[in-house]
Amino acid sequence: MPKEEHIKYLMTNEQDISWGIVTTTVGYQDIPARTVYPSHKHPIRYLFSSEKGRILNEYQLVYITSGQGIFTSTHQPSTHIQAGDLFLLFPGEWHTYYPDFQTGWYEYWIGFTGNDIDLKVKAHFFTCNSPIIKAGLDSELVKLFQLAVYTAKQQRPGFQQILAGIISLLLGFSYSKLRIDTLGGTKFLKQIDKAKVLMYEHVENSLSGEQIAENIGMSYSSFRRFFKQYTGFTPTQYILELKINRSKELLTNTEYSCQEIAFELGFNTPSHFNMVFLKKTGITPHQYRVKTQGRTIYQTLYNKEK
């Protein structure tokens, strides 16, 4: 980890704002034990008393990679923070945080605003009620923060757009960790992953939900419930999505007729395959083949099917 303190505050223009998300500040600092916090290098609009707290007009994502401390906000009671924790600050939300005086801590942060993050919060991907994310110590996460710092230092053309991409990755990582914690941690994650592999490997000759549940050592009712929570699909829906994706590959990359593909993937009849494909994609298998293979090849195959 870099040991020097680095704090960068960034300007934005109308073009940057129209991208959907802009970075306002990015940095890192090592707060040794028995050191006053926060640093005096913060400008007035970011300074705060750890006792009185503050309210920002932007979002900030803070990552603690060593040491420990306390985080408190309007919606979050005083909570112990340790190395590997992320926390998200919300605009208009009172908060305070500080390292333990005996240990200090090392922190990375990035501040941002924009319609993109506002929409994510509106859709409840992130809420003031769950600002702390147990991310763990992750080298890839550290690399993303360091890349953000480097990009802010260079400020080459399009740097705000690069930073927006980094923020999207950080938010995606954070949401994944939140989802796992909400679902009870990683206790069932390996079993669900094993079920997904089984479904993929047997997409042509679908295993029943009961068979998959037995294979991964769960009751069918528990398997169905946890699978839906982790993936957003029931097992039956997930298998159907796999079949449609596989049919797209076959339509694009092979000369199999639609009838052959239908039977290959276990649909009862070609008409059933056509109906499901149309419902899922908005076009028929024939129309999909035209788009992905070209009309000349399609016409040859169509005549063959006739």
Side-chain angles (χ1 to χ4, degrees), residues 132-135 176-185:
I132 300 172
I133 302 144
K134 297 292 183 180
S176 175
K177 290 293 186 180
L178 278 172
R179 284 284 295 159
I180 290 172
D181 288 342
T182 300
L183 296 169

Side-chain angles (χ1 to χ4, degrees), residues 34-225:
R34 303 178 182 279
T35 301
V36 174
Y37 184 85
S39 168
H40 67 280
K41 292 187 179 182
H42 286 67
I44 294 175
R45 70 190 178 105
Y46 287 104
L47 276 176
F48 72 103
S49 160
S50 59
E51 295 180 356
K52 296 180 179 179
R54 68 177 175 184
I55 297 175
L56 294 174
N57 60 358
E58 64 187 47
Y59 299 91
Q60 282 193 15
L61 191 59
V62 183
Y63 186 36
I64 306 302
T65 57
S66 69
Q68 60 183 348
I70 296 293
F71 174 85
T72 311
S73 69
T74 300
H75 291 85
Q76 178 71 40
S78 181
T79 303
H80 178 254
I81 296 295
Q82 60 187 7
D85 287 350
L86 278 162
F87 49 89
L88 182 61
L89 309 177
F90 292 79
E93 171 87 349
W94 176 88
H95 65 268
T96 187
Y97 58 91
Y98 50 88
D100 187 297
F101 190 68
Q102 300 301 321
T103 66
W105 69 20
Y106 198 100
E107 65 178 29
Y108 289 90
W109 74 87
I110 189 164
F112 46 95
T113 62
N115 292 331
D116 185 74
I117 180 61
D118 289 339
L119 289 172
K120 287 178 173 59
V121 171
K122 186 177 180 180
H124 303 293
F125 286 107
F126 302 98
T127 72
C128 297
N129 295 316
S130 301
I132 300 172
I133 302 144
K134 297 292 183 180
L137 290 172
D138 189 294
S139 61
E140 296 304 316
L141 192 54
V142 171
K143 287 177 184 177
L144 284 174
F145 275 100
Q146 291 179 347
L147 179 59
V149 170
Y150 174 80
T151 302
K153 282 182 178 180
Q154 298 298 309
Q155 292 198 30
R156 292 174 178 170
F159 79 92
Q160 276 286 359
Q161 286 67 40
I162 296 172
L163 287 171
I166 295 171
I167 290 168
S168 292
L169 285 172
L170 288 170
L171 291 173
F173 184 96
S174 300
Y175 179 69
S176 175
K177 290 293 186 180
L178 278 172
R179 284 284 295 159
I180 290 172
D181 288 342
T182 300
L183 296 169
T186 59
K187 181 178 180 181
F188 301 109
L189 189 57
K190 288 184 178 180
Q191 288 169 291
I192 298 302
D193 285 342
K194 183 178 180 180
K196 289 162 68 176
V197 170
L198 285 170
M199 292 174 177
Y200 180 80
E201 291 178 343
H202 295 271
V203 64
E204 287 87 1
N205 56 334
S206 304
L207 297 175
S208 68
E210 288 80 3
Q211 288 173 311
I212 296 170
E214 181 179 0
N215 197 292
I216 66 173
M218 294 179 72
S219 69
Y220 176 66
S221 59
S222 294
F223 164 61
R224 192 178 187 282
R225 182 174 72 255

